[in-house]
Amino acid sequence: MSSTICNELIELMTEKVLNDIIAAVKTTKYFAISVDSTPDISHTDQLTFIVRFVDSSGKPVERFIKFIPFSGHDGETMMNVVLDTLLEHDLFIMDCRGQSYDNASNMSGKYNGLQAHIKQIPPLAEYVPCSAHSLNLVVSCAAECCVAAVSFFLLLQALFNFFSASTHRWSILKSTIHGDVIKSLLTTRWSAQHDATHALKDSFAEIRSALIQIAEDEDQTATTRSEAASLASKLEDFELTLLCVLWDCILEQLNAMNKTLQKTEIEMATYVNLYAGLVEFVISLCNDEAFEMFEEKAKLLVKDYSYRADHQRSRKRKRNFEEPDNEIVLLPRQKCKTATYFVILDSLITELVKRKKIYQNPNDKFGFLFKITTMPDAELREAALKLQQYLSADVQDTFVEEIVNFSGYMNQIKAPPEKCASSAALKPLRNAGISETFPNVDIVYHLYLTLPATNCEGERSFSVLKRVKDQLRSTMSQEKLCNQALLTIESDLTRNIDFQSIIDDFANMKSIKKFI
């Protein structure tokens, strides 16, 4: 089969998949958008365009539309690109009810960001920053809050750089340790930081032993032996060992939460509860008992339990004869606790609370839906009235009475409180065929599920971009890139294509016979 015929078949398949996506969006009416950009192998900025909607069964779905080459990065330029893309696919911007981007200023800016420009057109296009990206920023701020934290992560990367720079050193490391080898750090994915920290903690003694072996090897160069000895001495620092244990505990919880935040079907209330639970977890570490627990774990990794300052002479500051000598001198252990341990935890708590408030605002509008069976009628009516006034363009005045009626229905079928959650209530509502009885309730649950809280689907599309347009195919056309990316990303729709109709369309397109 020639490349021309192959490309024409791919175009027909792409058109079919894209038409199915657009038809599904139009059927559900309301949708949300998510965009992000990255440079490809040919140094062209590619803007990925994702739409989120709720399918007929009540399940939130996110679909890739296309990659868009663009050069401007300001909010107004990106708004024009978004509007042109929606117009190209016959989607009405006034039906947009949500938008989610990363925390870059050109995206999330309050006045000139993309979200601000979009919200001027449909005011109900609620903006929710990507929760996974926000969590990365939380950890990034905590990792830069003090010198000790910065030094720890610099040491992690220095260890990887040292061993990976030579195959001989890497073989020594692999023959010494029994668990995972040390990993490199990535600024875009804090799961990589967890992997690196966990690998160091699990093989702490073995890594130090490998460094000592290299430092004592006379066949190595003087530079290599000096660097190995320097890294080995740093691994004997009790304060650094304590940080290794602390960060392993914190990053383990953050990594588990980060994986959950990347799921498409997770709802807004779950995001808020996860952030609140993480705040409580970090607060539980802010006491002397937790600090002593980490100290005991660190003592299992090193032989010398003394802090670095115990071996250093304390410096005395010169004072004037009139200045009173009442300076408080902290012991090394107390200084580590107050200047490092509590500073890291305070930074985590501050950032988590700040990020949680961002998701609390949209969640408060719909939060009562999760407890309609337990709320008094007066409170339920008041909350429903506020939401109806906010969604007056989509929800009728009868919503207040409908939600009270729906609450009675849920109590009648003895539904547990968790069944009143949006997805758990919308699916039975539609499966039971009673959406016509509660049309406004159906719309409210629908709108809540349409709200995105992550743009991870866009990040996943970048992985496909790097595989499709690699170094050997750097000159491929934009149309071919979009076609192949769409068929790959939406592989579940590609597999369900009626290939017989594709073959018939292709045959009719190539047929030389003319039927009258």
Side-chain angles (χ1 to χ4, degrees):
M1 183 183 296
S2 67
S3 60
T4 303
I5 295 177
C6 183
N7 291 335
E8 291 175 349
L9 284 173
I10 290 177
E11 290 177 5
L12 290 174
M13 294 170 61
T14 304
E15 183 180 358
K16 174 64 177 175
V17 172
L18 188 58
N19 288 340
D20 290 344
I21 294 175
I22 300 302
V25 176
K26 290 182 178 179
T27 301
T28 192
K29 184 180 179 180
Y30 303 111
F31 64 91
I33 59 174
S34 175
V35 299
D36 201 356
S37 65
T38 189
D40 60 18
I41 192 66
S42 63
H43 307 291
T44 301
D45 264 328
Q46 299 286 353
L47 186 76
T48 181
F49 196 96
I50 308 293
V51 293
R52 177 186 173 96
F53 58 95
V54 179
D55 61 15
S56 57
S57 66
K59 177 183 176 182
V61 180
E62 294 183 359
R63 296 295 186 188
F64 171 80
I65 299 298
K66 65 186 299 187
F67 285 121
I68 308 165
F70 79 111
S71 56
H73 288 83
D74 60 287
E76 186 175 359
T77 301
M78 300 184 73
M79 178 199 67
N80 293 329
V81 172
V82 170
L83 295 180
D84 291 341
T85 304
L86 292 175
L87 183 62
E88 177 187 352
H89 296 91
D90 199 22
L91 295 177
F92 193 32
I93 183 61
M94 297 305 294
D95 291 332
C96 179
R97 290 296 178 269
Q99 44 181 334
S100 179
Y101 320 115
D102 59 25
N103 290 267
S105 59
N106 63 332
M107 295 287 197
S108 60
K110 185 176 181 180
Y111 301 105
N112 294 317
L114 173 60
Q115 65 92 11
H117 288 290
I118 293 291
K119 203 165 185 179
Q120 290 178 357
I121 305 173
L124 296 179
E126 191 77 38
Y127 168 63
V128 183
C130 177
S131 57
H133 187 261
S134 297
L135 188 62
N136 282 351
L137 292 178
V138 168
V139 188
S140 179
C141 291
E144 298 175 357
C145 65
C146 61
V147 175
V150 174
S151 300
F152 171 73
F153 286 106
L154 289 177
L155 176 63
L156 277 180
Q157 188 61 43
L159 286 170
F160 177 81
N161 293 341
F162 175 76
F163 284 107
S164 62
S166 168
T167 55
H168 177 65
R169 297 178 217 164
W170 192 260
S171 63
I172 293 176
L173 176 66
K174 292 187 66 177
S175 63
T176 305
I177 65 176
H178 303 287
D180 296 332
V181 295
I182 55 179
K183 306 292 193 303
S184 177
L185 302 182
L186 294 176
T187 56
T188 55
R189 283 195 307 113
W190 274 91
S191 58
Q193 268 73 343
H194 167 257
D195 295 339
T197 306
H198 189 70
L200 175 61
K201 174 180 171 292
D202 281 359
S203 305
F204 200 91
E206 291 87 348
I207 293 174
R208 186 171 62 247
S209 176
L211 289 170
I212 294 174
Q213 180 181 345
I214 296 174
E216 295 176 350
D217 187 359
E218 296 183 356
D219 293 334
Q220 300 291 329
T221 63
T223 303
T224 300
R225 295 176 62 187
S226 174
E227 189 175 355
S230 175
L231 291 173
S233 65
K234 290 180 180 178
L235 290 183
E236 296 173 357
D237 186 353
F238 183 71
E239 183 175 348
L240 182 140
T241 310
L242 178 65
L243 283 177
C244 180
V245 176
L246 172 64
W247 277 113
D248 179 64
C249 175
I250 294 174
L251 291 177
E252 183 178 8
Q253 300 302 318
L254 290 169
N255 187 43
M257 177 176 168
N258 190 46
K259 292 179 180 179
T260 304
L261 293 178
Q262 296 179 30
K263 297 180 179 179
T264 303
E265 63 273 11
I266 298 297
E267 300 162 6
M268 186 70 63
T270 306
Y271 287 99
V272 176
N273 294 333
L274 285 174
Y275 269 86
L278 194 56
V279 170
E280 294 297 326
F281 167 73
V282 179
I283 291 176
S284 69
L285 302 179
C286 297
N287 53 67
D288 293 337
E289 291 78 10
F291 181 76
E292 292 174 0
M293 176 191 69
F294 287 117
E295 275 188 322
E296 293 300 321
K297 291 182 178 180
K299 289 178 181 179
L300 300 175
L301 302 179
V302 293
K303 298 179 181 178
D304 186 4
Y305 305 155
S306 59
Y307 288 86
R308 185 188 316 116
D310 290 335
H311 306 288
Q312 298 175 352
R313 187 181 66 177
S314 58
R315 298 178 60 185
K316 293 185 178 180
R317 184 171 59 88
K318 292 184 178 180
R319 299 183 181 85
N320 297 325
F321 68 93
E322 299 176 350
E323 188 176 356
D325 187 8
N326 57 356
E327 181 182 2
I328 299 176
V329 180
L330 295 177
L331 296 175
R333 181 177 182 273
Q334 295 174 328
K335 187 175 181 180
C336 176
K337 185 193 302 184
T338 57
T340 301
Y341 180 77
F342 286 133
V343 169
I344 293 174
L345 296 183
D346 287 344
S347 177
L348 283 170
I349 294 171
T350 302
E351 291 296 324
L352 284 171
V353 171
K354 182 173 69 173
R355 303 291 175 181
K356 174 178 170 289
K357 290 181 180 179
I358 299 175
Y359 303 103
Q360 189 68 49
N361 183 34
N363 185 66
D364 287 343
K365 298 184 179 71
F366 298 87
F368 72 95
L369 296 175
F370 294 86
K371 46 187 177 181
I372 58 175
T373 57
T374 57
M375 290 179 66
D377 284 352
E379 293 183 14
L380 181 59
R381 290 176 181 273
E382 181 180 359
L385 180 60
K386 291 181 180 179
L387 182 60
Q388 188 276 325
Q389 292 173 348
Y390 174 71
L391 300 174
S392 58
D394 304 313
V395 180
Q396 299 176 353
D397 297 340
T398 57
F399 169 68
V400 177
E401 306 303 328
E402 274 188 30
I403 197 67
V404 176
N405 187 11
F406 183 68
S407 173
Y409 168 76
M410 297 297 283
N411 282 320
Q412 189 65 31
I413 63 175
K414 298 180 180 178
E418 60 269 16
K419 289 294 184 182
C420 298
S422 52
S423 60
L426 183 58
K427 290 179 181 179
L429 187 67
R430 294 186 174 181
N431 293 337
I434 56 176
S435 296
E436 295 180 357
T437 305
F438 307 104
N440 292 290
V441 174
D442 183 280
I443 292 175
V444 168
Y445 277 114
H446 187 153
L447 291 174
Y448 180 69
L449 282 175
T450 303
L451 286 178
T454 176
N455 62 348
C456 292
E457 196 64 32
E459 297 288 345
R460 295 186 184 102
S461 69
F462 294 151
S463 299
V464 176
L465 171 65
K466 288 179 172 58
R467 293 199 305 270
V468 173
K469 191 174 182 179
D470 58 12
Q471 191 171 5
L472 299 178
R473 296 189 291 263
S474 60
T475 58
M476 70 187 309
S477 66
Q478 185 68 26
E479 182 181 4
K480 187 175 181 180
L481 168 64
C482 293
N483 292 342
Q484 295 188 8
L486 179 64
L487 295 178
T488 304
I489 296 171
E490 305 301 341
S491 57
D492 56 331
L493 297 180
T494 305
R495 295 190 188 97
N496 295 327
I497 290 178
D498 183 4
F499 289 100
Q500 186 59 48
S501 64
I502 298 293
I503 295 173
D504 294 339
D505 291 342
F506 182 75
N508 292 332
M509 184 175 63
K510 292 298 182 180
S511 176
I512 61 174
K513 294 181 180 180
K514 302 296 182 181
F515 296 96
I516 300 177

